[in-house]
Amino acid sequence: MRTELQSGPIFELGETHEMVAASAREFAKQYIAPHVMDWDERQFFPKEVLHQAGAMGFMGVLVPEVYGGAGLGYFEYTAIIEEISKVDPSIGLSIAAHNSLCTNHILQFGSEEQKQRWLPKLASGQWIGAWGLTEHNTGSDAGGMNSTAVREGNEWIINGTKNFITHGSSGNIAVVIVRTGEKGDSHGMTAFVVERGTPGFYAGKKENKLGMRASETAELVFDQCRIPDENRLGDIGDGFIQSMKILDGGRISIAALSLGIARGAYEAALKYSSERVQFGKPINSFQGISFKLAQMATDIEASELLMHKACYEKNSGRRMTKISAMSKLFASETCVRASNEAVQIFGGYGYSKEFPVEKFYRDAKLCTIGEGTSEIQKVVIANQILK
């Protein structure tokens, strides 16, 4: 498959991409599909499935082989997230957060010793990673965080709470960004790695969510938590700058997650509308339904092109703040519209948990919130184009 971008070069998705996508598709069919609604109803986080995903190379997709990873790029990575999200966006979200946030932060900003210490466990899926930036009082305004780290000799004492953290209870390790300087100072925050079992570090409240219910979301609580300076990632004061760069890549993950939801909802609606007969005809023969499908298909195609351009820029080492924000914004809004239209096409059955579009509808909304709201994406894009 070759895609030509109007303002960029030609890129080609080769055999490796297709093999990886097929592998993820088969994995989702075998290990995820039979349990989707059970996990959703119980809000059960299937940690064992993530360990199995690690054995497939899905938990260290971007990590070089020298650290136990798959050593692949963003095209392959997004293919994995998309294929799994077509079956269960919750698991797609967990795999995305593990890869692009926690693991990628250590990969990008850790020392050689830190990479050798933590990446093999994360890339293999032996350990599940969490990443903590958001707090109760600081969602979009991350720079106003209250959690602090105070240096005492060769140790740091962390106090505070992070919330809405994927794998906040079950994660074996967390990368957290906390304040080491003045509040509001973009150079007043530092990133640290904290392992589960460290005294003073524990899980708080688990969220009862609308969607993505099989992906665990909980608080990280720090109460006089002491960690050695060797757990610091990068220089003191660089944590916020690091996290913004991590979010650039993370937004591509959410675009892939969104694309999986949109495509899953569209394919279900397309199939159902071919089988459902009213007035003696399949309902997709009526313009009211066919136009919905046409718009969904067009939005999905556009989302994929934006995401692939962002992947190309990321793989090429270019700055991709604008394109990743555009990709995330468009794809996330697309998946909300597509899942809404899918429910409408299914009619009363779309409102029933016996059919998949009800869950896509609930799961979709998070994509316009996580990794920066749609409004924040517009701020980022505006800042880039008005420079």
Side-chain angles (χ1 to χ4, degrees):
M1 175 181 174
R2 193 175 73 168
T3 306
E4 188 169 344
L5 301 173
Q6 184 177 5
S7 60
I10 295 171
F11 55 80
E12 192 166 341
L13 306 179
E15 290 184 9
T16 300
H17 178 272
E18 295 302 327
M19 288 172 57
V20 167
S23 178
R25 198 177 305 126
E26 183 59 33
F27 178 84
K29 179 181 178 182
Q30 181 176 351
Y31 294 104
I32 300 173
H35 312 288
V36 171
M37 290 312 297
D38 176 55
W39 293 342
D40 181 77
E41 292 286 344
R42 294 193 290 132
Q43 293 200 76
F44 175 73
F45 173 52
K47 193 172 181 180
E48 183 57 37
V49 168
L50 295 198
H51 295 320
Q52 292 168 332
M56 297 290 293
F58 299 161
M59 301 298 276
V61 186
L62 305 169
V63 176
E65 293 180 35
V66 67
Y67 302 118
L72 299 173
Y74 265 75
F75 287 115
E76 293 79 17
Y77 171 52
T78 53
I80 291 168
I81 300 303
E82 180 187 346
E83 290 294 341
I84 288 174
S85 299
K86 281 170 62 177
V87 175
D88 190 347
S90 297
I91 308 305
L93 174 62
S94 277
I95 292 177
H98 172 93
N99 274 281
S100 70
L101 299 179
C102 177
T103 303
N104 202 38
H105 200 137
I106 295 171
L107 176 63
Q108 285 198 37
F109 299 106
S111 66
E112 183 61 29
E113 187 277 331
Q114 289 171 330
K115 292 176 185 178
Q116 291 182 2
R117 178 181 172 189
W118 290 309
L119 288 180
K121 293 177 181 177
L122 288 164
S124 66
Q126 178 187 348
W127 278 15
I128 307 302
W131 191 79
L133 178 66
T134 301
E135 298 183 5
H136 291 278
N137 62 315
T138 59
S140 298
D141 180 20
M145 66 178 60
N146 288 324
S147 295
T148 60
V150 177
R151 190 162 192 169
E152 190 174 280
N154 198 41
E155 292 185 321
W156 293 85
I157 304 172
I158 303 178
N159 284 288
T161 303
K162 298 289 182 179
N163 78 322
F164 298 139
I165 308 303
T166 304
H167 311 144
S169 294
S170 297
N172 305 93
I173 187 172
V175 173
V176 294
I177 297 88
V178 293
R179 190 160 53 83
T180 51
E182 294 300 315
K183 182 179 287 192
D185 180 4
S186 62
H187 294 281
M189 290 156 276
T190 305
F192 297 92
V193 177
V194 188
E195 296 182 19
R196 187 70 64 182
T198 303
F201 173 41
Y202 53 94
K205 172 191 173 186
K206 179 181 176 181
E207 300 296 337
N208 183 5
K209 300 178 297 182
L210 168 71
M212 302 289 192
R213 288 164 63 85
S215 180
E216 178 187 271
T217 305
E219 293 176 323
L220 299 176
V221 180
F222 301 90
D223 183 9
Q224 295 295 111
C225 176
R226 287 180 174 267
I227 59 169
D229 185 55
E230 65 193 42
N231 283 30
R232 170 170 48 86
L233 289 173
D235 293 334
I236 297 170
D238 279 357
F240 184 75
I241 307 302
Q242 291 174 8
S243 65
M244 293 301 102
K245 292 177 180 178
I246 292 299
L247 287 173
D248 278 347
R251 285 165 182 154
I252 301 176
S253 300
I254 302 300
L257 173 62
S258 301
L259 187 58
I261 294 172
R263 208 183 290 280
Y266 165 75
E267 290 177 0
L270 184 64
K271 182 176 184 292
Y272 178 80
S273 66
S274 299
E275 298 168 349
R276 174 72 166 172
V277 175
Q278 294 286 273
F279 307 103
K281 299 178 182 179
I283 62 172
N284 62 15
S285 67
F286 298 107
Q287 193 176 80
I289 301 299
S290 65
F291 276 19
K292 290 180 185 296
L293 293 167
Q295 189 64 57
M296 292 162 74
T298 302
D299 288 347
I300 287 168
E301 192 77 13
S303 297
E304 183 178 55
L305 284 169
L306 271 171
M307 184 189 73
H308 281 166
K309 184 174 183 182
C311 289
Y312 181 87
E313 298 293 333
K314 180 66 175 176
N315 282 349
S316 302
R318 296 187 176 96
R319 183 172 177 82
M320 25 64 74
T321 298
K322 181 179 74 172
I323 191 63
S324 68
M326 286 177 169
S327 174
K328 194 268 187 189
L329 171 64
F330 192 85
S332 64
E333 295 292 343
T334 289
C335 82
V336 170
R337 289 193 301 270
S339 59
N340 179 57
E341 291 287 46
V343 170
Q344 194 70 17
I345 289 170
F346 270 76
Y349 294 114
Y351 209 67
S352 168
K353 290 183 181 292
E354 293 183 20
F355 293 85
V357 293
E358 176 270 346
K359 184 174 182 297
F360 285 130
Y361 182 74
R362 287 186 290 109
D363 288 345
K365 190 56 193 169
L366 179 69
C367 296
T368 67
I369 299 170
E371 243 89 320
T373 63
S374 291
E375 292 73 23
I376 286 295
Q377 303 314 308
K378 291 176 184 177
V379 170
V380 171
I381 295 164
N383 287 341
Q384 293 295 309
I385 65 178
L386 297 176
K387 276 184 177 179

